[in-house]
Amino acid sequence: MNGRQSGRPTLEQVAARAGVGRGTVSRVINGSPRVSERARTAVARAVAELGYVPNQAARALAGSRTDAIALVIPETEARLFAEPYFLDIIRGVSAELAASDKQLLLTLVRSEQERQRFEQYLAAQRVDGVLLASVHGDDPLPDRIGELGLPVVMNGRRTEAEPVPYVDSDNIGAGRAAVAHLVGRGRSRIATVTGPLDMYVARARLGGYRAGLAEAGLAPDEGLVAAGDFTEEGGRRATRLLLDRRPDLDAVFAASDVMAAGARAVLRETGRRVPEDVALVGVDDSPVARLMDPPLTSVRQPIEEMGRTMARMLVRGIAEERTEPARRVLPTELVVRGSS
Protein backbone atom coordinates (compact mmCIF):
# COMPACT_ATOMS: atom_id res chain seq x y z
CA MET A 1 0.00 0.00 0.00
CA ASN A 2 1.45 3.37 -0.96
CA GLY A 3 -1.29 5.49 0.75
CA ARG A 4 -2.50 6.97 -2.52
CA GLN A 5 -6.21 7.28 -3.16
CA SER A 6 -7.69 4.92 -5.74
CA GLY A 7 -9.91 7.27 -7.69
CA ARG A 8 -11.22 10.70 -6.79
CA PRO A 9 -11.66 11.31 -3.01
CA THR A 10 -15.29 11.58 -1.89
CA LEU A 11 -17.08 13.83 0.56
CA GLU A 12 -17.61 10.80 2.81
CA GLN A 13 -13.84 10.13 2.90
CA VAL A 14 -13.18 13.73 3.87
CA ALA A 15 -15.76 13.45 6.66
CA ALA A 16 -14.21 10.22 7.94
CA ARG A 17 -10.69 11.70 7.90
CA ALA A 18 -11.86 14.87 9.69
CA GLY A 19 -13.96 12.96 12.22
CA VAL A 20 -17.13 14.92 11.42
CA GLY A 21 -20.43 14.30 9.63
CA ARG A 22 -20.96 14.62 5.90
CA GLY A 23 -23.20 17.63 6.48
CA THR A 24 -20.44 19.46 8.36
CA VAL A 25 -18.04 18.95 5.44
CA SER A 26 -20.71 20.25 3.06
CA ARG A 27 -21.25 23.36 5.18
CA VAL A 28 -17.51 24.08 5.37
CA ILE A 29 -17.06 23.72 1.61
CA ASN A 30 -20.05 25.97 0.94
CA GLY A 31 -18.86 28.67 3.34
CA SER A 32 -21.62 28.32 5.94
CA PRO A 33 -20.99 30.20 9.22
CA ARG A 34 -22.81 27.43 11.15
CA VAL A 35 -19.59 25.47 11.77
CA SER A 36 -17.19 25.60 14.72
CA GLU A 37 -13.63 26.77 14.09
CA ARG A 38 -12.34 23.40 15.27
CA ALA A 39 -14.48 21.51 12.74
CA ARG A 40 -13.54 23.97 9.97
CA THR A 41 -9.84 23.38 10.65
CA ALA A 42 -10.25 19.59 10.72
CA VAL A 43 -12.12 19.61 7.41
CA ALA A 44 -9.56 21.90 5.78
CA ARG A 45 -6.74 19.58 6.90
CA ALA A 46 -8.57 16.50 5.57
CA VAL A 47 -9.25 18.20 2.23
CA ALA A 48 -5.55 19.02 1.86
CA GLU A 49 -4.36 15.56 2.89
CA LEU A 50 -6.72 13.73 0.56
CA GLY A 51 -6.44 16.16 -2.34
CA TYR A 52 -10.23 16.53 -2.41
CA VAL A 53 -11.60 18.78 -5.18
CA PRO A 54 -15.27 19.80 -4.74
CA ASN A 55 -17.59 19.09 -7.62
CA GLN A 56 -18.49 22.53 -8.88
CA ALA A 57 -21.86 21.46 -10.24
CA ALA A 58 -22.78 19.94 -6.88
CA ARG A 59 -21.60 23.07 -5.10
CA ALA A 60 -23.75 25.22 -7.35
CA LEU A 61 -26.75 23.01 -6.59
CA ALA A 62 -26.05 23.08 -2.86
CA GLY A 63 -25.78 26.85 -2.91
CA SER A 64 -29.13 27.30 -4.61
CA ARG A 65 -32.58 27.17 -3.08
CA THR A 66 -35.35 24.79 -4.06
CA ASP A 67 -37.98 26.89 -2.26
CA ALA A 68 -39.44 23.58 -1.05
CA ILE A 69 -39.89 22.33 2.52
CA ALA A 70 -40.79 18.76 3.47
CA LEU A 71 -43.27 18.06 6.25
CA VAL A 72 -42.70 14.46 7.37
CA ILE A 73 -45.30 12.52 9.36
CA PRO A 74 -44.26 8.95 10.24
CA GLU A 75 -47.83 7.64 10.33
CA THR A 76 -50.30 5.83 8.06
CA GLU A 77 -52.87 7.59 5.88
CA ALA A 78 -55.61 6.27 8.17
CA ARG A 79 -54.06 7.88 11.23
CA LEU A 80 -53.27 11.10 9.38
CA PHE A 81 -56.86 11.72 8.31
CA ALA A 82 -58.50 10.35 11.48
CA GLU A 83 -56.48 12.51 13.86
CA PRO A 84 -57.47 16.23 13.92
CA TYR A 85 -54.07 17.04 15.46
CA PHE A 86 -52.17 16.39 12.23
CA LEU A 87 -54.63 18.39 10.14
CA ASP A 88 -54.18 21.39 12.44
CA ILE A 89 -50.38 21.09 12.22
CA ILE A 90 -50.60 21.00 8.41
CA ARG A 91 -52.94 23.99 8.43
CA GLY A 92 -50.55 26.05 10.56
CA VAL A 93 -47.46 25.09 8.55
CA SER A 94 -49.10 25.79 5.18
CA ALA A 95 -50.48 29.15 6.35
CA GLU A 96 -47.03 30.30 7.49
CA LEU A 97 -45.26 29.05 4.37
CA ALA A 98 -47.80 30.74 2.10
CA ALA A 99 -46.43 34.07 3.28
CA SER A 100 -42.86 33.01 2.46
CA ASP A 101 -43.50 31.59 -1.04
CA LYS A 102 -42.25 28.15 0.01
CA GLN A 103 -43.71 25.00 -1.48
CA LEU A 104 -44.86 22.38 1.06
CA LEU A 105 -44.20 18.70 0.36
CA LEU A 106 -46.17 16.35 2.64
CA THR A 107 -44.43 13.00 3.14
CA LEU A 108 -45.58 9.94 5.10
CA VAL A 109 -42.78 7.65 6.29
CA ARG A 110 -44.32 4.34 7.35
CA SER A 111 -41.45 1.86 7.15
CA GLU A 112 -37.67 1.54 7.27
CA GLN A 113 -37.60 1.25 3.48
CA GLU A 114 -39.53 4.50 3.08
CA ARG A 115 -37.22 6.22 5.58
CA GLN A 116 -34.15 5.19 3.59
CA ARG A 117 -35.77 6.31 0.34
CA PHE A 118 -36.60 9.69 1.91
CA GLU A 119 -33.01 10.10 3.10
CA GLN A 120 -31.82 9.52 -0.48
CA TYR A 121 -34.29 12.16 -1.64
CA LEU A 122 -32.89 14.64 0.91
CA ALA A 123 -29.29 13.83 -0.05
CA ALA A 124 -30.12 14.88 -3.61
CA GLN A 125 -30.66 18.47 -2.32
CA ARG A 126 -34.34 18.55 -3.36
CA VAL A 127 -35.61 20.50 -0.34
CA ASP A 128 -34.26 23.40 1.69
CA GLY A 129 -35.34 22.06 5.08
CA VAL A 130 -37.51 19.54 6.91
CA LEU A 131 -40.33 19.68 9.46
CA LEU A 132 -40.99 16.51 11.48
CA ALA A 133 -44.18 15.61 13.35
CA SER A 134 -45.05 12.67 15.64
CA VAL A 135 -41.46 11.54 16.17
CA HIS A 136 -40.90 8.46 18.34
CA GLY A 137 -38.02 8.14 20.78
CA ASP A 138 -35.90 5.77 18.69
CA ASP A 139 -36.37 7.57 15.36
CA PRO A 140 -32.94 8.26 13.77
CA LEU A 141 -34.34 10.54 11.06
CA PRO A 142 -33.86 13.90 12.89
CA ASP A 143 -30.16 13.20 13.43
CA ARG A 144 -29.71 11.89 9.90
CA ILE A 145 -31.22 15.06 8.45
CA GLY A 146 -28.75 17.12 10.48
CA GLU A 147 -25.87 15.00 9.19
CA LEU A 148 -26.97 15.85 5.64
CA GLY A 149 -26.56 19.53 6.48
CA LEU A 150 -30.26 20.41 6.24
CA PRO A 151 -32.09 22.62 8.74
CA VAL A 152 -34.75 20.66 10.66
CA VAL A 153 -37.44 21.54 13.22
CA MET A 154 -39.51 18.96 15.08
CA ASN A 155 -43.06 19.09 16.40
CA GLY A 156 -42.47 17.78 19.92
CA ARG A 157 -39.27 16.12 21.07
CA ARG A 158 -37.81 12.69 21.69
CA THR A 159 -36.36 13.38 25.15
CA GLU A 160 -36.17 16.11 27.75
CA ALA A 161 -32.65 16.93 26.50
CA GLU A 162 -33.56 17.02 22.79
CA PRO A 163 -30.63 18.48 20.77
CA VAL A 164 -32.65 19.08 17.58
CA PRO A 165 -34.69 22.33 17.33
CA TYR A 166 -38.34 21.77 18.27
CA VAL A 167 -41.69 23.36 19.04
CA ASP A 168 -43.71 21.68 21.78
CA SER A 169 -46.59 22.40 24.14
CA ASP A 170 -46.56 22.20 27.94
CA ASN A 171 -47.51 18.54 28.18
CA ILE A 172 -46.54 18.18 31.84
CA GLY A 173 -48.73 21.16 32.64
CA ALA A 174 -51.58 19.55 30.69
CA GLY A 175 -51.57 16.48 32.93
CA ARG A 176 -51.30 18.53 36.10
CA ALA A 177 -54.17 20.82 35.09
CA ALA A 178 -56.43 17.87 34.24
CA VAL A 179 -55.84 16.16 37.60
CA ALA A 180 -56.19 19.40 39.58
CA HIS A 181 -59.56 20.02 37.90
CA LEU A 182 -60.80 16.49 38.62
CA VAL A 183 -59.68 16.68 42.25
CA GLY A 184 -61.49 20.01 42.53
CA ARG A 185 -64.65 18.25 41.37
CA GLY A 186 -64.34 15.77 44.22
CA ARG A 187 -62.76 12.87 42.31
CA SER A 188 -60.17 10.73 44.09
CA ARG A 189 -59.84 7.51 42.04
CA ILE A 190 -58.48 9.11 38.92
CA ALA A 191 -57.27 6.84 36.12
CA THR A 192 -55.28 7.75 33.03
CA VAL A 193 -55.02 6.40 29.49
CA THR A 194 -51.54 7.27 28.26
CA GLY A 195 -50.19 7.62 24.75
CA PRO A 196 -47.44 5.26 23.50
CA LEU A 197 -44.66 5.54 26.05
CA ASP A 198 -41.88 5.51 23.44
CA MET A 199 -42.99 9.10 22.72
CA TYR A 200 -41.89 11.94 24.99
CA VAL A 201 -45.30 13.62 24.72
CA ALA A 202 -46.98 10.58 26.30
CA ARG A 203 -44.39 10.29 29.07
CA ALA A 204 -44.68 14.03 29.81
CA ARG A 205 -48.48 13.89 30.13
CA LEU A 206 -48.16 10.85 32.37
CA GLY A 207 -45.57 12.73 34.45
CA GLY A 208 -47.99 15.65 34.76
CA TYR A 209 -50.75 13.27 35.88
CA ARG A 210 -48.50 11.81 38.59
CA ALA A 211 -47.38 15.28 39.69
CA GLY A 212 -51.02 16.34 39.95
CA LEU A 213 -51.84 13.37 42.17
CA ALA A 214 -48.87 14.14 44.42
CA GLU A 215 -49.87 17.79 44.73
CA ALA A 216 -53.39 16.70 45.75
CA GLY A 217 -52.05 14.27 48.33
CA LEU A 218 -53.34 11.21 46.45
CA ALA A 219 -51.25 8.06 46.54
CA PRO A 220 -50.06 6.76 43.13
CA ASP A 221 -51.75 3.56 41.95
CA GLU A 222 -50.30 1.86 38.86
CA GLY A 223 -53.53 -0.09 38.56
CA LEU A 224 -55.10 3.20 37.45
CA VAL A 225 -52.60 3.63 34.58
CA ALA A 226 -53.14 1.95 31.19
CA ALA A 227 -51.23 2.52 27.95
CA GLY A 228 -53.01 3.62 24.79
CA ASP A 229 -51.75 4.63 21.36
CA PHE A 230 -53.52 7.92 20.56
CA THR A 231 -56.26 6.07 18.61
CA GLU A 232 -59.93 5.62 19.50
CA GLU A 233 -59.57 1.84 19.61
CA GLY A 234 -56.53 2.22 21.87
CA GLY A 235 -58.69 4.32 24.21
CA ARG A 236 -61.32 1.59 24.24
CA ARG A 237 -58.85 -1.18 25.05
CA ALA A 238 -57.15 0.78 27.81
CA THR A 239 -60.46 1.77 29.43
CA ARG A 240 -61.71 -1.82 29.48
CA LEU A 241 -58.47 -2.80 31.22
CA LEU A 242 -58.84 0.00 33.77
CA LEU A 243 -62.43 -0.98 34.57
CA ASP A 244 -61.42 -4.62 35.01
CA ARG A 245 -58.73 -3.57 37.50
CA ARG A 246 -60.56 -0.73 39.26
CA PRO A 247 -64.33 -0.89 38.66
CA ASP A 248 -64.79 1.86 41.26
CA LEU A 249 -62.71 4.49 39.41
CA ASP A 250 -64.47 7.85 39.32
CA ALA A 251 -62.47 9.77 36.67
CA VAL A 252 -60.38 9.18 33.56
CA PHE A 253 -57.74 11.49 32.12
CA ALA A 254 -57.12 10.43 28.51
CA ALA A 255 -53.95 11.78 26.90
CA SER A 256 -55.85 12.75 23.72
CA ASP A 257 -59.42 13.61 22.75
CA VAL A 258 -59.53 10.72 20.31
CA MET A 259 -58.67 8.24 23.07
CA ALA A 260 -61.22 9.98 25.32
CA ALA A 261 -63.86 9.23 22.68
CA GLY A 262 -62.95 5.54 22.92
CA ALA A 263 -63.09 5.73 26.71
CA ARG A 264 -66.51 7.40 26.55
CA ALA A 265 -67.88 4.57 24.40
CA VAL A 266 -66.71 1.90 26.87
CA LEU A 267 -68.07 3.80 29.86
CA ARG A 268 -71.45 3.97 28.15
CA GLU A 269 -71.35 0.28 27.21
CA THR A 270 -70.70 -0.64 30.84
CA GLY A 271 -73.57 1.47 32.17
CA ARG A 272 -71.51 4.29 33.63
CA ARG A 273 -72.79 7.84 33.28
CA VAL A 274 -70.49 10.74 32.35
CA PRO A 275 -69.89 12.81 34.43
CA GLU A 276 -72.18 11.54 37.21
CA ASP A 277 -70.34 8.22 37.71
CA VAL A 278 -67.07 8.86 35.91
CA ALA A 279 -65.69 12.27 34.94
CA LEU A 280 -63.68 12.44 31.72
CA VAL A 281 -60.94 14.81 30.49
CA GLY A 282 -58.96 14.73 27.23
CA VAL A 283 -56.17 16.71 25.57
CA ASP A 284 -56.10 18.76 22.34
CA ASP A 285 -59.49 20.55 22.44
CA SER A 286 -60.18 19.19 18.96
CA PRO A 287 -63.56 19.08 17.15
CA VAL A 288 -63.93 15.61 18.70
CA ALA A 289 -64.21 17.25 22.14
CA ARG A 290 -66.97 19.65 21.10
CA LEU A 291 -69.02 16.97 19.31
CA MET A 292 -69.00 14.37 22.10
CA ASP A 293 -72.06 13.74 24.30
CA PRO A 294 -71.62 15.32 26.76
CA PRO A 295 -69.06 17.76 25.34
CA LEU A 296 -65.58 16.86 26.53
CA THR A 297 -63.51 18.84 28.99
CA SER A 298 -60.11 19.06 27.33
CA VAL A 299 -56.69 20.66 27.73
CA ARG A 300 -56.24 22.91 24.72
CA GLN A 301 -52.84 23.04 23.08
CA PRO A 302 -52.25 25.64 20.35
CA ILE A 303 -51.75 23.10 17.58
CA GLU A 304 -52.10 25.43 14.60
CA GLU A 305 -49.80 27.96 16.26
CA MET A 306 -47.25 25.19 16.82
CA GLY A 307 -47.34 24.51 13.07
CA ARG A 308 -46.85 28.20 12.31
CA THR A 309 -43.99 28.51 14.78
CA MET A 310 -42.24 25.43 13.39
CA ALA A 311 -42.43 26.77 9.85
CA ARG A 312 -41.22 30.24 10.91
CA MET A 313 -38.25 28.78 12.79
CA LEU A 314 -37.30 26.61 9.81
CA VAL A 315 -37.54 29.43 7.26
CA ARG A 316 -35.31 31.62 9.41
CA GLY A 317 -32.93 28.71 9.95
CA ILE A 318 -32.65 28.23 6.19
CA ALA A 319 -31.80 31.90 5.85
CA GLU A 320 -29.34 31.44 8.77
CA GLU A 321 -31.12 34.11 10.81
CA ARG A 322 -31.03 33.70 14.57
CA THR A 323 -34.08 35.73 15.63
CA GLU A 324 -35.98 32.64 16.88
CA PRO A 325 -34.74 30.43 19.74
CA ALA A 326 -34.00 26.83 18.83
CA ARG A 327 -36.62 25.49 21.26
CA ARG A 328 -40.13 26.72 22.04
CA VAL A 329 -42.69 25.36 24.52
CA LEU A 330 -46.15 26.89 24.12
CA PRO A 331 -48.68 27.08 26.98
CA THR A 332 -51.78 24.89 27.36
CA GLU A 333 -55.21 25.79 28.75
CA LEU A 334 -57.98 23.73 30.35
CA VAL A 335 -61.39 24.11 28.65
CA VAL A 336 -64.18 22.90 30.94
CA ARG A 337 -67.28 21.30 29.42
CA GLY A 338 -69.99 18.89 30.47
CA SER A 339 -67.93 15.69 30.79
CA SER A 340 -66.45 16.68 34.15
Side-chain angles (χ1 to χ4, degrees):
M1 296 293 290
N2 59 13
R4 295 181 63 187
Q5 293 289 327
S6 58
R8 181 174 180 171
T10 66
L11 201 66
E12 287 75 13
Q13 289 170 328
V14 174
R17 176 67 66 92
V20 299
R22 183 183 186 280
T24 299
V25 176
S26 179
R27 286 193 291 272
V28 170
I29 291 172
N30 288 288
S32 171
R34 296 187 299 163
V35 182
S36 70
E37 190 58 38
R38 181 176 179 179
R40 194 183 308 279
T41 300
V43 170
R45 182 182 299 115
V47 166
E49 291 174 353
L50 294 173
Y52 175 75
V53 179
N55 183 304
Q56 296 302 317
R59 288 188 60 184
L61 178 60
S64 66
R65 297 292 186 213
T66 67
D67 289 329
I69 285 173
L71 170 59
V72 182
I73 301 177
E75 302 288 352
T76 64
E77 294 94 333
R79 174 97 195 276
L80 173 66
F81 293 109
E83 176 57 75
Y85 179 91
F86 294 124
L87 301 181
D88 284 344
I89 286 289
I90 294 169
R91 185 179 297 113
V93 168
S94 61
E96 186 68 28
L97 293 183
S100 65
D101 297 322
K102 297 288 186 183
Q103 182 179 6
L104 178 62
L105 305 176
L106 177 61
T107 303
L108 303 185
V109 176
R110 296 153 292 191
S111 67
E112 176 63 18
Q113 181 181 18
E114 289 185 345
R115 184 182 67 81
Q116 292 177 359
R117 188 182 306 132
F118 181 65
E119 288 181 8
Q120 293 170 358
Y121 181 84
L122 296 180
Q125 306 277 354
R126 293 177 177 173
V127 298
D128 294 334
V130 180
L131 299 168
L132 288 172
S134 190
V135 178
H136 292 250
D138 60 352
D139 194 334
L141 189 55
D143 299 318
R144 180 59 179 149
I145 294 169
E147 291 170 3
L148 291 171
L150 285 170
V152 57
V153 177
M154 296 197 306
N155 171 223
R157 43 188 150 159
R158 295 167 295 178
T159 67
E160 177 66 29
E162 176 61 62
V164 175
Y166 64 79
V167 177
D168 204 356
S169 63
D170 182 8
N171 291 297
I172 294 175
R176 294 174 69 176
V179 172
H181 169 73
L182 291 167
V183 170
R185 293 298 173 95
R187 312 294 170 144
S188 59
R189 298 178 298 279
I190 303 169
T192 186
V193 177
T194 77
L197 294 177
D198 67 333
M199 299 183 72
Y200 175 81
V201 58
R203 298 194 302 274
R205 290 175 187 173
L206 176 59
Y209 159 83
R210 287 172 171 156
L213 293 180
E215 289 164 3
L218 297 175
D221 182 349
E222 289 306 305
L224 289 171
V225 178
D229 57 4
F230 287 139
T231 69
E232 184 174 352
E233 182 53 35
R236 287 175 179 266
R237 288 193 302 268
T239 304
R240 291 191 189 101
L241 177 60
L242 289 168
L243 292 174
D244 286 343
R245 292 176 182 165
R246 299 289 188 271
D248 62 339
L249 64 82
D250 60 8
V252 175
F253 165 53
S256 76
D257 292 347
V258 172
M259 290 196 301
R264 174 69 184 92
V266 171
L267 292 171
R268 175 171 288 174
E269 290 166 5
T270 56
R272 291 167 171 84
R273 299 169 299 165
V274 175
E276 293 85 354
D277 301 319
V278 180
L280 184 61
V281 177
V283 180
D284 286 339
D285 191 33
S286 66
V288 171
R290 297 186 285 277
L291 295 174
M292 281 177 60
D293 179 25
L296 179 68
T297 295
S298 183
V299 182
R300 175 185 296 157
Q301 55 175 341
I303 304 172
E304 189 168 334
E305 180 57 29
M306 282 197 288
R308 283 183 171 272
T309 305
M310 289 167 60
R312 186 165 57 249
M313 285 174 61
L314 185 66
V315 168
R316 290 176 175 175
I318 291 169
E320 298 185 349
E321 298 176 0
R322 294 299 182 185
T323 56
E324 287 280 352
R327 296 162 186 83
R328 292 285 302 278
V329 178
L330 303 183
T332 55
E333 174 189 5
L334 182 73
V335 180
V336 179
R337 298 191 178 92
S339 70
S340 64

